[in-house]
Structure formats: structure tokens, C-alpha cells
């Protein structure tokens, strides 16, 4: 049985709030030691990306398209694993397990009322039965609902993997992911799992990307390397208005997504910019500063102490202007990247879901109640056997 094997080769699949494509990482795990074997990002076709994004808004999501695209993405995820195997010369039958995050289309961590109680809910698509059948590999997916059933927010889930990968006996670390949304895992020196603090700090690249797409008429989708922001000047008045968003003052545990910093938020920002237009570079510089400031403010407000090190991951780690702004905000914190620990900055979340699947198949609790607000540790995920 898989749970009895000392070494497991696991593929982790991740598609985040940016809906750019499927990240696939293959890792070997033995005694909680993780070695990255291969990693690749397989972008979505533009038409598929547009359809998935339409599912993330209540006014454009339709039940027939949700049903259809759930299975379409299952096919896309399965093919991504097989493509990586072909590209890197990995035998597909050498992979013991797949861990798939799926594609979140809606997440309600605060829940709604039903039968006199609050019911939290979340929905990720990318049918795991399709993945398991097409690849022949046992697949673990749908990790968030079990944590919600235990009273948690179903997020963040990556802290368990951060604990496995980055805890240190002498150094305190903040593992800072900057994807569409930014989130932090705080690992005090010599921490146990109950000592972990993790939460979403606010927007990562989501607002920056939206402003770039709008201002360039869709010709550009992101600020490569932070070059546009580097040429701009931060509008402090607009930045102060943006920093009034209520999520930023909310105490952890907390998580967010497109529901708070997606289309509706960007429409508010666009209306604000119509009243006081800014040059493109100034707009991008301001929203980049917004991401940097929200991260730094979250550390100052909610961490019990400043970390010795920040370990950066995600697409934002490539944005040199954003990293420079972060260092300017947190001068006493050494900024590193996950690359220095053998994990590609773009692979960290895919690797995390491989680690979560490894824990699930071993019957180990893999949520972090101090991060999600769950009442107890639980084993996450649903297991679909392969062939």
C-alpha cells in the first residue's frame, strides 16, 4: 500500500487565482525530506482562461458551464502531468500519487446562514476522477472542504508544507507567497505545528495585473520584472484610500480572493482613476506599492515578532520593483527566495499540494488549525484510486 512505502514520487497540481495555467511539480518524498524532480507551467489557452474567469463571477457563471468545465479541467490537468513526464523523460508509472488543488471558482470562508447556523463553503473544479482515470495514478483532491467541516476557512492550506520545507531550529521565517493573492506562513524558530501563524495578507499580483491589462487594452497581462512600476511615482493619496479596505484590518485567521480583490474591486479603482487620471507608470507603481505595503502592514499588525528572514515565492518574486519596495518597508528582514532551498519560486504551491497528498495518503492530519481556524487537526482531501 502507498502509505507503507518509505519513498513516494508525487505530482502536485496547482492553478491559482490568476488563472494562468496549470503548475505541475514532481517530487520525491522520503521521511518528510522533499526533492524537486521536475517542474513546468502549462498555460491555459486564452479561450479556456476566459471561460474559467467567467465562472468566478456570479453574474456570468452558469451551472451548465461549471459542470462542463469541471470535466474539461480534469482532462487539462491530467494531460499536464503526462506532458511533463514526456518532456522530462519521467515514466508516468513511476509516479505513485497526484495531489490536485483544482481551480477555485468561488470561496466563502465566512459562510452563509442555513438552518440557524453558519455554513462555510468553497468550490474547486478539475474533476479528480478524470485525472485518476486518464493517468492511471491515484489522485487526492478537494482539500479545502474537510477543514471547513471542522469549522475552518479552508485556507490557507500551504502552511503544512511550509512547515515541512522551511522550519528551522534557530531562524524565524516568514514564507511569503505572492501569487494572485499574497499569503504568509510565519514559522518561529524551533516551532511546532501549533506555533504556526498563517493568513492571506491581501492582494498579490491580482490588482497589478488588472491595471496593466486595462491600461494597455489587453496587450500586456502583467508588469514584467516590475519595469513599468520602476518608471512610475506612487500616488500617496490613492494609496491611502486603497489601504482603507476592511480586509486589511481584519484579524487572522483570514483568507481572501477574487471575491474581495477581483473584478468588483478593480471596477471601484477604475472609477476612482477616472476622477483623477494618472499616467500608466504611476498607476502601476501605486498598486505595486499597495501590495508591498499590505504585506508589511500585516507583519507589523499581526505577527508576534518580525521574522529574521522572508522567503519569497510565487510570480511576485520576479517583480524586482515589488521586492525593492518590500525591502524598503522591512529593512531589518533578510529577503530570500525558495530557489535557495531547492524549490523553484514558481513551483512552491504545486510542491505544497504534492506534500499535502503525501500526508493524506499516510493518514496524517495536514491542516493547520491555528491558520485556518478549524477546531481540530483533520486529514484533508478525497482519494480517487488509479488503475
Amino acid at each position: 500500500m502507498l502509505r507503507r512505502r518509505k519513498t513516494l514520487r508525487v505530482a502536485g497540481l496547482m492553478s491559482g487565482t490568476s488563472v494562468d495555467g496549470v503548475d505541475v511539480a514532481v517530487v520525491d518524498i522520503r521521511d518528510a525530506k522533499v526533492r524537486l524532480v521536475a517542474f513546468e507551467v502549462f498555460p491555459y489557452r486564452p479561450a479556456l482562461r476566459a471561460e474559467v474567469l467567467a465562472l468566478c463571477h456570479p453574474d456570468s457563471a452558469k451551472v451548465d458551464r461549471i459542470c462542463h468545465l469541471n470535466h474539461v479541467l480534469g482532462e487539462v490537468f491530467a494531460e499536464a502531468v503526462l506532458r511533463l513526464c514526456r518532456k522530462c523523460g519521467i515514466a508516468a508509472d513511476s509516479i505513485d500519487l497526484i495531489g490536485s488543488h483544482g481551480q477555485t471558482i468561488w470561496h466563502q470562508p465566512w459562510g452563509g446562514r442555513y438552518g440557524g447556523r453558519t455554513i462555510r463553503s468553497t468550490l474547486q473544479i478539475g474533476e479528480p476522477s478524470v485525472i485518476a482515470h486518464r493517468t492511471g495514478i491515484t489522485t487526492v483532491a478537494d482539500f479545502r472542504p474537510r477543514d471547513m467541516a471542522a469549522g475552518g476557512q479552508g485556507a490557507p492550506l500551504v502552511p503544512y508544507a511550509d512547515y515541512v520545507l522551511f522550519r528551522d531550529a534557530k531562524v524565524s521565517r516568514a514564507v511569503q507567497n505572492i501569487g494572485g493573492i499574497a499569503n504568509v506562513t510565519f514559522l518561529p524558530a524551533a516551532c511546532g505545528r501549533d506555533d504556526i501563524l498563517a493568513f492571506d495578507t491581501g492582494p498579490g499580483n491580482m490588482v497589478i495585473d488588472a491595471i496593466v491589462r486595462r491600461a494597455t487594452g489587453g496587450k500586456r497581462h502583467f508588469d514584467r520584472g516590475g519595469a513599468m512600476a520602476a518608471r512610475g511615482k506612487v500616488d500617496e493619496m490613492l494609496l491611502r484610500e486603497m489601504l482603507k479596505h476592511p480586509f486589511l484590518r481584519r484579524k487572522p485567521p483570514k483568507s481572501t480572493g477574487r471575491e474581495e480583490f477581483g473584478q468588483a474591486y478593480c471596477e471601484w479603482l477604475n472609477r476612482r482613476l477616472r476622477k483623477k487620471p494618472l499616467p500608466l507608470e504611476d498607476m502601476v507603481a501605486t498598486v505595486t506599492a499597495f501590495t508591498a505595503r499590505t504585506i508589511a502592514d500585516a507583519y507589523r499588525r499581526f505577527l508576534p515578532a518580525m521574522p529574521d528572514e522572508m522567503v519569497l515565492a510565487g510570480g511576485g518574486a520576479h517583480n524586482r520593483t515589488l521586492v525593492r519596495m518590500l525591502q524598503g518597508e522591512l529593512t531589518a528582514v533578510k529577503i530570500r527566495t525558495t530557489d535557495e532551498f531547492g524549490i523553484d519560486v514558481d513551483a512552491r504551491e504545486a510542491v505544497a499540494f504534492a506534500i499535502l497528498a503525501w500526508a493524506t495518503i499516510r493518514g496524517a492530519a495536514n491542516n493547520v488549525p491555528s491558520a485556518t481556524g478549524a477546531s481540530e487537526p483533520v486529514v484533508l482531501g478525497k482519494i480517487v484510486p488509479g488503475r
Side-chain angles (χ1 to χ4, degrees):
M1 291 178 61
L2 290 177
R3 68 185 303 167
R4 295 176 182 168
R5 292 189 188 177
K6 292 184 177 180
T7 301
L8 285 180
R9 174 162 288 183
V10 190
L13 300 175
M14 178 68 194
S15 182
T17 51
S18 296
V19 196
D20 294 325
V22 188
D23 301 347
V24 188
V26 174
V27 298
D28 288 338
I29 308 176
R30 182 183 176 90
D31 297 327
K33 302 297 183 184
V34 181
R35 182 177 72 89
L36 181 62
V37 176
F39 172 71
E40 188 63 74
V41 179
F42 297 98
Y44 289 137
R45 294 177 180 176
L48 177 59
R49 181 173 189 268
E51 282 212 79
V52 173
L53 284 171
L55 300 185
C56 299
H57 305 292
D59 57 347
S60 57
K62 296 183 178 180
V63 67
D64 59 331
R65 301 310 295 166
I66 294 172
C67 181
H68 178 62
L69 287 168
N70 178 43
H71 284 252
V72 168
L73 288 184
E75 299 282 357
V76 170
F77 290 175
E79 181 57 25
V81 173
L82 298 175
R83 285 176 66 186
L84 179 63
C85 289
R86 291 193 295 268
K87 179 176 180 178
C88 297
I90 297 169
D93 60 8
S94 74
I95 298 176
D96 302 300
L97 189 65
I98 293 172
S100 176
H101 170 267
Q103 176 66 62
T104 300
I105 61 171
W106 199 252
H107 186 65
Q108 290 185 300
W110 302 106
R113 300 294 291 174
Y114 179 81
R117 359 182 234 138
T118 297
I119 306 294
R120 296 177 174 89
S121 60
T122 190
L123 184 59
Q124 285 74 44
I125 61 173
E127 179 52 54
S129 294
V130 173
I131 300 171
H133 195 77
R134 293 288 176 263
T135 62
I137 301 168
T138 295
T139 299
V140 185
D142 219 10
F143 291 89
R144 299 190 188 279
R146 180 68 186 277
D147 183 81
M148 288 183 149
Q153 296 192 20
L157 296 184
V158 173
Y160 177 85
D162 288 337
Y163 174 73
V164 171
L165 291 168
F166 301 113
R167 73 185 185 276
D168 187 89
K170 297 180 179 179
V171 177
S172 66
R173 291 181 174 137
V175 185
Q176 181 67 54
N177 184 67
I178 308 178
I181 293 297
N183 45 70
V184 64
T185 302
F186 179 64
L187 303 169
C191 66
R193 195 163 68 167
D194 292 341
D195 301 317
I196 299 170
L197 178 62
F199 55 93
D200 287 352
T201 58
N205 304 312
M206 182 179 292
V207 180
I208 302 170
D209 294 350
I211 287 295
V212 170
R213 282 194 299 269
R214 170 187 172 273
T216 63
K219 293 180 181 178
R220 297 185 187 180
H221 295 282
F222 63 99
D223 182 16
R224 185 179 297 276
M228 297 168 72
R231 296 192 297 269
K233 180 180 178 182
V234 175
D235 186 296
E236 292 292 341
M237 184 178 295
L238 176 57
L239 178 58
R240 284 195 295 272
E241 286 187 49
M242 297 174 73
L243 289 168
K244 293 178 182 177
H245 194 289
F247 175 82
L248 305 176
R249 295 187 296 275
R250 193 178 301 156
K251 293 181 180 180
K254 61 178 183 174
S255 58
T256 189
R258 288 188 174 277
E259 301 77 23
E260 293 190 87
F261 291 103
Q263 181 175 312
Y265 183 78
C266 291
E267 287 174 355
W268 168 82
L269 186 55
N270 289 336
R271 290 193 298 272
R272 171 61 178 75
L273 289 169
R274 282 197 292 271
K275 293 179 182 178
K276 184 185 175 183
L278 293 175
L280 171 58
E281 288 82 3
D282 290 359
M283 285 191 290
V284 179
T286 301
V287 294
T288 302
F290 179 52
T291 291
R293 183 75 63 83
T294 55
I295 291 170
D297 283 352
Y299 285 25
R300 289 187 279 259
R301 283 175 172 163
F302 304 125
L303 296 189
M306 275 293 157
D308 299 313
E309 298 178 350
M310 174 191 288
V311 183
L312 277 178
H318 300 295
N319 187 321
R320 291 184 293 276
T321 303
L322 176 55
V323 175
R324 176 176 55 79
M325 289 177 172
L326 278 170
Q327 191 67 85
E329 291 279 349
L330 301 169
T331 55
V333 179
K334 181 180 181 180
I335 296 182
R336 307 175 68 180
T337 68
T338 58
D339 286 337
E340 298 177 48
F341 298 84
I343 304 296
D344 186 301
V345 293
D346 296 315
R348 178 249 190 174
E349 289 192 304
V351 169
F353 281 91
I355 293 171
L356 286 168
W358 165 79
T360 299
I361 212 71
R362 292 165 62 88
N366 47 1
N367 67 331
V368 178
S370 60
T372 66
S375 61
E376 60 183 320
V378 292
V379 179
L380 306 175
K382 302 167 186 174
I383 301 172
V384 180
R387 293 196 293 273

